[in-house]
Amino acid sequence: MKSGSECGGGESLFEDRDFPPEDASLFCDRSTPIARVQGHVTWRRPQEICRSPALFPDNVDLAHAKQGLLGDCWFLCASSFLLNNKHLLNKAVPPDQPEWGDGRYRGAFSFRFWQQGHWTEVTIDDRLPCIDSTLCFSRCLSPNAFWVALLEKAYAKLHGSYERLWAGQVSEALVDLTGGLAEHWSLGDFGSGEEQRAGEDSDRVRRRRLDLSLLDPVKDLCAISCSSHTGAGAAELGRCHALTVTEWLDVKTSSGRKVLLLRIRNPWGRCGSGGAWIGSSGAGWSSVDPVSALDLQSRLAEGEFWLDETEFLSQFDDVTVGYPISEEGHLKSIYTGNPLTHSHQLPGRWIKGHSAGGSRNSAGYGSNPKFWLKVCERGEVLVSLLQHRKRRNTHDYAQIPLDDSENTKHRRYQAIALHMWKVEKKRFNLSRKLNKPPRASTHCHAYEREVVLRGRLEPGYFLLVPSVYQPGAEAHFLIRVFSSSSISLSAIKSPAPSLPWRTDGEWETSSFQGSWVEGSTAGGSRNFPSHWQNPRFPFTVCGDAAAAPANVRVTLHQSRPDSDLLPIGFHVYKCKKGELEPTLPRDEGPVASCVPHCHTHDVSLACCLSPGAYTIVPSAYEPGSAGQFTLSLARQIHRKVVKSQESLGRAIQEISHISAMRS
């Protein structure tokens, strides 16, 4: 490896301690095919891979992604959209970062991802996983360009490991990279009209029968991806693969009829085969003027091919459409092309025993969170409900396993829906209103990260009710509203929740007040040497060495306005025996981490820790970020069962009642 002086300065190159070049950064449970590379991966910086590395090549066609061993075609399809939108690219990949050969280069790069309503910055070093001297995951078509590989690494850090990027939704990556909105349509045959009328409403049928011509007003501005799930798609594509639609146009044949052709890019970097328009000898080209045929064929870059509309509809199962975003940051409707210049967002949460009321089938539906939407003038309105992904710790020794469902979306998300009612005034009978048909809804609960409803709304008040299908299911969410006219959004206050009744044992909870003080205890994240100045909170998991690990939940809370939130996170360190604080945490590293830092009121981590002494180090991302915080620590207590001949009589009931009142 080259020294720091050889790379443009006397200082050593940055090494990211939160995402080190180790197996923990590659794998989460070794359940995917990349497990076979274990033991064969070396981590190299770009200057060790090629002579003249750069973030982007001079030829933009060579900047597109080529998929490696990792099954993240969904992320690469979304990434390619950035290349056609400079303002979006600059948001995700901040410009003017010192590159190789620059005297300011220190081996570090920063990227931004939109997470739960805010942009989160993720800083990484440029050590990339290779097999021999070749990148083993995604790369650019140009061997000297590294923006794709570095962006992929930052996204892997955001998720906890590279393996967590195996399989996903293009719509999720589009939102994470742009902060915008994406919708999903199925292209398959859903039975007879009679079957559809019996089981679905007209709007859902319309969405499933999407006509691509509806997107004509924004076809050059929006992101479009197509996916195959059944294995019956384009030849050589197999199943569960996503591709990008880069262009579509009507072509006039020699007989005078029009054929809709779509240009498709495969992240694998190779074309399909067997279609009428594949290659230069496909049967379809003979029906087109030779000059037009040559022009269309010349547009193809590596991994691209043409399909006509019939082939497209037969070979793919669904389409994902990302909304265009103007340079001013406004969404454009994919239905009308209208700019949606007004937007609001508010966070919320479903809490068991308080606000997790379940679907409209449940008697508790009315206890779900509720929001007021005020529409000031008639206009096009989009409302989205975005839930936070269920998180789990990547460390084997600090992990609470998820259920064994084969459907990954079921494991990652709750089944959610959003309903909206028009109300004449703010005071109304809630149960009576909820028993009436809604003005608009997402119609059914879906295991999706985000669901969207749309409509042209007249001025007035609207009641929004987001719900999870299963009563008692907990999750955080974000309500977002985009409109062509003036709107306002506010939460309807609910009574404070009572303490939930836990059936999984006793818990002991402690809370600590703390602060980050500029120049003293505001040390920033582990990417900065001053990290160790942050406040520290020691705690103990009781038991001897043979005792079973204990469940622990740590929550870090900041009380600040939504517009002024700090990106916060924390690490848990194991202390040496007999010491209150870790003496060499830089070398030992944390046993559990709630990172990357997020702009949110609360960050929380549930983990399983063996008996011993630990220390929690909470931090804001940037050194010098001052603020107050509350740290809550809940530890599960396992008590031995005491055998007794006593019956539960009145005296015991009275004592229990008094004890409860005193607590």
Side-chain angles (χ1 to χ4, degrees), residues 1-3 6 13 15 43-45 47-48 127:
M1 180 180 292
K2 295 181 180 180
S3 66
E6 291 177 298
L13 297 181
E15 295 183 354
W43 297 74
R44 299 178 183 272
R45 298 187 189 265
Q47 64 268 33
E48 299 174 300
R127 295 176 292 182

Side-chain angles (χ1 to χ4, degrees), residues 168-184:
Q169 298 291 316
V170 177
S171 57
E172 295 182 19
L174 278 171
V175 174
D176 290 348
L177 289 171
T178 68
L181 198 63
E183 291 198 48
H184 177 91

Side-chain angles (χ1 to χ4, degrees), residues 1 21 50 79 85 178 217 229 238 254 258 300 315 321 344 359 405 424 475 484 488 532 568 637 650:
M1 180 180 292
C50 68
S79 302
N85 298 270
T178 68
H229 302 294
S254 54
K258 287 185 178 180
L300 297 176
Q315 295 183 5
V321 182
H344 291 278
S359 72
S405 170
E424 299 306 321
S484 60
S488 66
W532 313 108
I568 58 174
I637 302 171
R650 180 172 179 177

Side-chain angles (χ1 to χ4, degrees), residues 480-491:
R480 297 196 288 164
V481 183
F482 305 91
S483 175
S484 60
S485 60
S486 181
I487 55 170
S488 66
L489 180 69
S490 59

Side-chain angles (χ1 to χ4, degrees), residues 23 35-42 130-132 136:
D23 281 356
R36 65 177 182 267
V37 306
Q38 184 176 3
H40 300 284
V41 174
T42 57
C130 299
I131 295 179
D132 297 326
C136 57

Side-chain angles (χ1 to χ4, degrees), residues 347-387:
R349 183 181 178 187
W350 293 290
I351 303 173
K352 184 177 181 180
H354 173 61
S355 60
S359 72
R360 296 183 72 203
N361 295 335
S362 169
Y365 178 76
S367 66
N368 281 303
K370 292 169 281 292
F371 296 83
W372 281 123
L373 172 64
K374 181 182 178 182
V375 178
C376 300
E377 53 188 337
R378 182 174 174 80
E380 184 177 4
V381 179
L382 293 171
V383 187
S384 93
L385 170 62
L386 185 149
Q387 62 175 311

